[in-house]
Amino acid sequence: MSEIEFRDAIKQALDEELARDERVVFFGEDVAAAGGVFAVTGGLQEAHGPRRVFDTPISELAIAGAAFGAAVTGLRPVVEIMFGDFLHLPMDSLVNQSAKYWFISNEQASVPLVVRSAVGAGGRFGAIHSQMPVPWFQGVPGIKIVCPATPRDAKGLLKAAIRDDNPVLFLEHKRLYSMKGPAGEPGEVLPIGKAEVVRPGDDLTIATAMKSVHDALAAAEELQGDGVSAEVVDLKTLRPLDLATVRESVVRTNRLLVVEEGPHTGGWSGAVLGQLAEDALEHLDDVWRLTTADAPIPYSPPLEDAFLPTAERIVASVRERLGLAAPSNPVTSTV
Amino acid sequence: MSRNKRAVAEAVARGDREPEPLELYRQMLLIRRFEEAVQRLFQRGEVHGTTHLYSGQEAGAVGVCSVLREGDRVAGTYRGHGHALALGVDPQALMDELLGRATGVCAGRAGSMNIVDLAHGLIGCFGIVGGSIAAATGAALALERQGLDNVAVAFFGEGTANQAYFAECLNFAQVLRLPVVFVCENNRYMEFTPIEDVTAGSIRARAEVLGLLATTVDGMDVRAVRAAAATAVEHARSGAGPAFVETLTYRFVGHSRSDPGHYRKPGELDEMLERDPLKIARAWLLDSGEASEEELDAAEAWAAARIDEVTERALAAPFPAPDAGAREYKESFAA
Ligand SMILES: Cc1ncc(C[n+]2csc(CCOP(=O)(O)OP(=O)(O)O)c2C)c(N)n1
């Protein structure tokens, strides 16, 4: 199967959907002529023309507000909010207009819009360009939150998001943009709201999303050496959460670790645990979370490294929780 | 004598800072050498994440800060090294911060985009476009309510005039007659997009229509900036309300580390390099007899040596030890 880079997968999804449906338009800051600050969207304006792909002022509220107004009157806008950290600026329109309109209008019109945004830490961007905005939107009924971990999913899920009749927040982890992975089938559209077991195991389920999926896979590999067989579930969509897939997994493994790149308090990992406690308590021998601290993300490399839920920290956390002795090459970080 | 000129004369008589012309040149040189060092260190992987340099815009910060006095407050941007240095922030503490060292002005927590140094009047450098405008507006409210004879200054780029913060804060400051000066540094491009492509009408007119004292000035000539800033600051200090200064400037380097640079008009950079604020100041100092060739050369040597020393010491400075608390799930609140 051919390989594709995560950023190109996103560009292809936009390109194909712009070509497929003339109602799709794409706009944002520096996205058109310059091709985006993460070099994701170059060439789209040339391919689809300046009426369909265009640059906007630095006006996030106008971007989201215009996308809303256009979405309920015939277009299918895709907009880019450059960094997830800027999402609170358009938040009013997203939360109070887009998320509620279909319901309060008694279903007169849906709101088919996609907000793409680059998120996540590990790039030394500091406290205000590294955040994970999921918890800010987690409690807002009416918005879907899609969080791909691989190029294939990025493409197939973005295509699905553009075809979805609801507002979708499509989050792209900055550390994944240059990642290569197998491409999907041509034209493939993947289901939003469906998790996947990406590594089977018997002793423990690790459920997570985005970059942390790769950390969890690396950790599972390492834990194999300890005789621990870890199953990894890639959640892919954080609202709605596919708890059925997680439940099915923990019914077999009886242990659940949820890894969330984001603060301990108010995060989605707590929602996963809470729901499983309600639904599957009899199957659970142990459940816990590995998150970041309830503190802003620090800039300095040693501080940021210690802050994030890396593969080493996942391994250390599992060993500690399962009461396994540290191996001969000790892992330094502990929870 | 106009009301404003008289006010300035009175301010000078009161002993407000009146730097030697040569001192303005030395400050601009220091900023330029600092930024060149940051660029080199970034390429060597010593400055992390991203960084936005002030090279070419030095006359703005130096000219404006030269008319400020003890107790005045300044809010800068993610392009803030020049704002910080012109205010008197220690170049060593600033460089150490950019290198993520424990000795940095924010102990490595902040990084290039988020510098804070209240002791030197720097409320902060703000990573969110428009954040500086809000911070200075609020600082002006505090200064005014505390009955102090001080002003607050907001630096921001022309692209920021399209942000909600701009419209809201200018009106807010005007209706409350707050002592704040809004300094719009117009370097022609937001990130990679020419400002005229995304901006209707004139930015200064937006301030004028709200009744602010508003002016546009050659931002490459430190004398011109200083004169315009003196008028604006005195207007604000006198209780007449906010003022607006647009400096016409240019950045000689990329927007940030990921700049493709294709957007500049042919020949534009060379043309503007001819208008380098350092060249202009040097010529003016010589022509007016304010400084001799020897004095100017000595200033050059001083700045180069100072930054070499700062660089060397920064590279030898210790990294912060990861705070044990950062790995615990404890909330980061002030005690
Ligand atoms: C709210 C918000 N939107 C977008 C950005 C990303 N961004 C950083 S700098 C910048 C361009 C700002 O242009 P301008 O105000 O002209 O200042 P300049 O960088 O040219 O000095 C943008 C869009 C941001 N930091 N904050």
Side-chain angles (χ1 to χ4, degrees):
Chain A
M1 206 187 270
S2 64
E3 292 249 304
I4 183 173
E5 204 172 273
F6 195 91
R7 59 160 59 76
D8 291 332
I10 290 166
K11 190 198 309 208
Q12 284 183 10
L14 287 165
D15 189 38
E16 290 175 15
E17 294 305 302
L18 281 157
R20 190 187 67 86
D21 184 346
E22 65 182 14
R23 296 169 301 173
V24 177
V25 292
F26 171 54
F27 52 97
E29 295 162 17
D30 299 293
V31 298
V37 298
F38 295 102
V40 173
T41 55
L44 292 175
Q45 185 177 49
E46 286 81 349
H48 302 283
R51 287 175 55 79
R52 311 230 2 246
V53 177
F54 54 93
D55 289 313
T56 69
I58 309 173
S59 306
E60 286 81 6
L61 186 56
I63 292 170
F68 160 72
V72 298
T73 53
L75 296 185
R76 300 183 77 86
V78 181
V79 300
E80 176 176 308
I81 298 296
M82 193 182 288
F83 282 77
D85 310 71
F86 312 158
L87 277 165
H88 30 254
L89 292 156
M91 193 146 178
D92 178 65
S93 180
L94 294 174
V95 172
N96 287 325
Q97 298 187 302
S98 293
K100 306 205 177 7
Y101 189 80
W102 183 78
F103 177 80
I104 61 179
S105 71
N106 196 26
E107 308 178 14
Q108 292 178 53
S110 58
V111 188
L113 73 83
V114 179
V115 180
R116 291 181 43 239
S117 200
V119 301
R124 322 305 188 202
F125 283 101
I128 299 163
H129 285 71
S130 306
Q131 295 169 90
M132 194 58 83
V134 179
W136 308 340
F137 289 91
Q138 186 75 25
V140 182
I143 291 188
K144 297 186 180 182
I145 307 174
V146 176
C147 299
T150 65
R152 178 182 175 183
D153 285 351
K155 182 174 176 187
L157 288 170
L158 181 52
K159 285 171 72 80
I162 296 171
R163 296 181 192 195
D164 200 290
D165 275 336
N166 299 282
V168 179
L169 189 56
F170 188 88
L171 303 180
E172 300 163 15
H173 199 294
K174 296 192 274 297
R175 309 312 295 160
L176 297 179
Y177 276 133
S178 298
M179 196 195 116
K180 286 202 166 89
E185 297 298 321
E188 178 177 77
V189 181
L190 297 171
I192 290 176
K194 191 88 197 77
E196 183 186 346
V197 174
V198 290
R199 177 190 166 109
D202 305 319
D203 301 328
L204 161 78
T205 300
I206 306 176
T208 187
M210 290 186 275
K211 177 177 179 296
S212 299
V213 171
H214 303 283
D215 294 326
L217 286 169
E221 199 60 42
E222 170 90 14
L223 287 165
Q224 197 70 53
D226 298 45
V228 176
S229 162
E231 177 149 309
V232 178
V233 177
D234 178 355
L235 293 167
K236 303 189 185 190
T237 304
L238 292 178
R239 185 182 184 107
L241 272 167
D242 176 8
L243 287 164
T245 298
V246 183
R247 184 181 194 281
E248 192 277 326
S249 174
V250 294
V251 163
R252 284 184 287 102
T253 65
N254 308 124
R255 285 193 196 90
L256 174 64
L257 163 61
V258 188
V259 179
E260 175 176 3
E261 183 188 322
H264 200 65
T265 303
W268 53 265
S269 55
V272 174
L273 255 55
Q275 200 56 52
L276 282 167
E278 282 186 30
D279 296 349
L281 194 59
E282 70 275 22
H283 298 290
L284 297 172
D285 289 342
D286 196 8
V287 291
W288 78 104
R289 294 184 287 156
L290 183 64
T291 67
T292 64
D294 282 331
I297 300 157
Y299 159 72
S300 181
L303 300 185
E304 191 183 36
D305 288 343
F307 191 80
L308 294 174
T310 52
E312 296 77 52
R313 288 189 62 209
I314 296 171
V315 169
S317 171
V318 171
R319 284 187 181 136
E320 187 189 287
R321 199 79 182 192
L322 270 54
L324 302 170
S328 45
N329 58 333
V331 178
T332 44
S333 55
T334 52
V335 182
Chain B
M1 204 193 263
S2 77
R3 197 185 139 275
N4 274 313
K5 282 216 181 102
R6 190 162 55 241
V8 172
E10 283 164 9
V12 172
R14 276 200 306 272
D16 285 0
R17 206 159 111 207
E18 181 64 29
E20 294 289 315
L22 184 59
E23 181 55 25
L24 300 176
Y25 182 63
R26 282 162 55 97
Q27 285 183 24
M28 293 199 293
L29 273 173
L30 191 77
I31 295 172
R32 178 70 57 85
R33 296 291 99 82
F34 186 92
E35 297 293 58
E36 288 164 356
V38 173
Q39 177 105 322
R40 280 194 301 275
L41 290 166
F42 191 89
Q43 277 152 6
R44 282 175 49 184
E46 295 286 352
V47 173
H48 313 275
T50 189
T51 183
H52 306 70
L53 303 179
Y54 201 63
S55 303
Q57 303 189 197
E58 294 87 348
V62 170
V64 170
C65 292
S66 75
V67 303
L68 298 182
R69 64 162 85 138
E70 194 68 30
D72 289 345
R73 306 280 189 181
V74 170
T77 67
Y78 48 84
R79 194 182 305 292
H81 310 159
H83 304 143
L85 292 171
L87 257 185
V89 171
D90 176 12
Q92 189 68 58
L94 184 60
M95 188 65 92
D96 290 4
E97 183 67 30
L98 303 191
L99 270 65
R101 307 302 166 120
T103 43
V105 56
C106 298
R109 287 181 173 191
S112 170
M113 290 191 277
N114 309 303
I115 305 292
V116 177
D117 190 356
L118 283 169
H120 287 95
L122 185 66
I123 313 163
C125 294
F126 292 87
I128 294 290
V129 156
S132 59
I133 299 179
T137 300
L141 176 67
L143 293 167
E144 197 277 331
R145 293 296 193 261
Q146 289 160 2
L148 296 169
D149 191 16
N150 282 108
V151 302
V153 173
F155 288 103
F156 54 96
E158 80 295 338
T160 305
N162 295 322
Q163 241 292 342
Y165 275 124
F166 178 86
E168 295 188 18
C169 289
L170 263 64
N171 183 63
F172 188 98
Q174 176 70 331
V175 295
L176 292 174
R177 290 284 184 274
L178 298 181
V180 52
V181 177
F182 299 105
V183 180
C184 176
E185 301 185 271
N186 185 345
N187 65 12
R188 303 189 190 181
Y189 299 94
M190 36 185 276
E191 294 204 348
F192 318 139
T193 302
I195 191 63
E196 64 271 17
D197 291 359
V198 289
T199 310
S202 121
I203 295 170
R204 190 185 71 218
R206 298 180 189 180
E208 280 168 348
V209 83
L210 295 172
L212 276 74
L213 179 72
T215 185
T216 298
V217 67
D218 178 358
M220 304 307 258
D221 182 344
V222 70
R223 282 172 309 177
V225 175
R226 185 174 149 73
T231 305
V233 164
E234 208 36 53
H235 176 86
R237 217 186 281 290
S238 72
F244 173 92
V245 179
E246 178 185 28
T247 64
L248 300 179
T249 183
Y250 200 75
R251 66 174 150 67
F252 292 161
V253 293
H255 166 80
S256 64
R257 59 103 201 224
S258 61
D259 190 336
H262 308 313
Y263 51 83
R264 294 186 200 266
K265 295 175 183 63
E268 188 181 74
L269 180 58
D270 287 338
E271 191 186 302
M272 291 312 292
L273 283 169
E274 282 307 306
R275 304 217 63 246
D276 186 331
L278 293 173
K279 271 193 193 165
I280 292 178
R282 195 179 166 102
W284 146 64
L285 287 165
L286 279 174
D287 291 352
S288 64
E290 289 281 1
S292 64
E293 286 276 4
E294 295 73 51
E295 283 173 311
L296 293 172
D297 291 347
E300 303 260 359
W302 165 81
R306 181 84 181 90
I307 295 304
D308 282 350
E309 177 198 323
V310 160
T311 304
E312 207 170 301
R313 288 180 61 173
L315 284 167
F319 279 102
D323 173 7
R327 291 210 218 113
E328 291 162 15
Y329 299 131
K330 83 170 189 225
E331 196 102 22
S332 72
F333 286 131

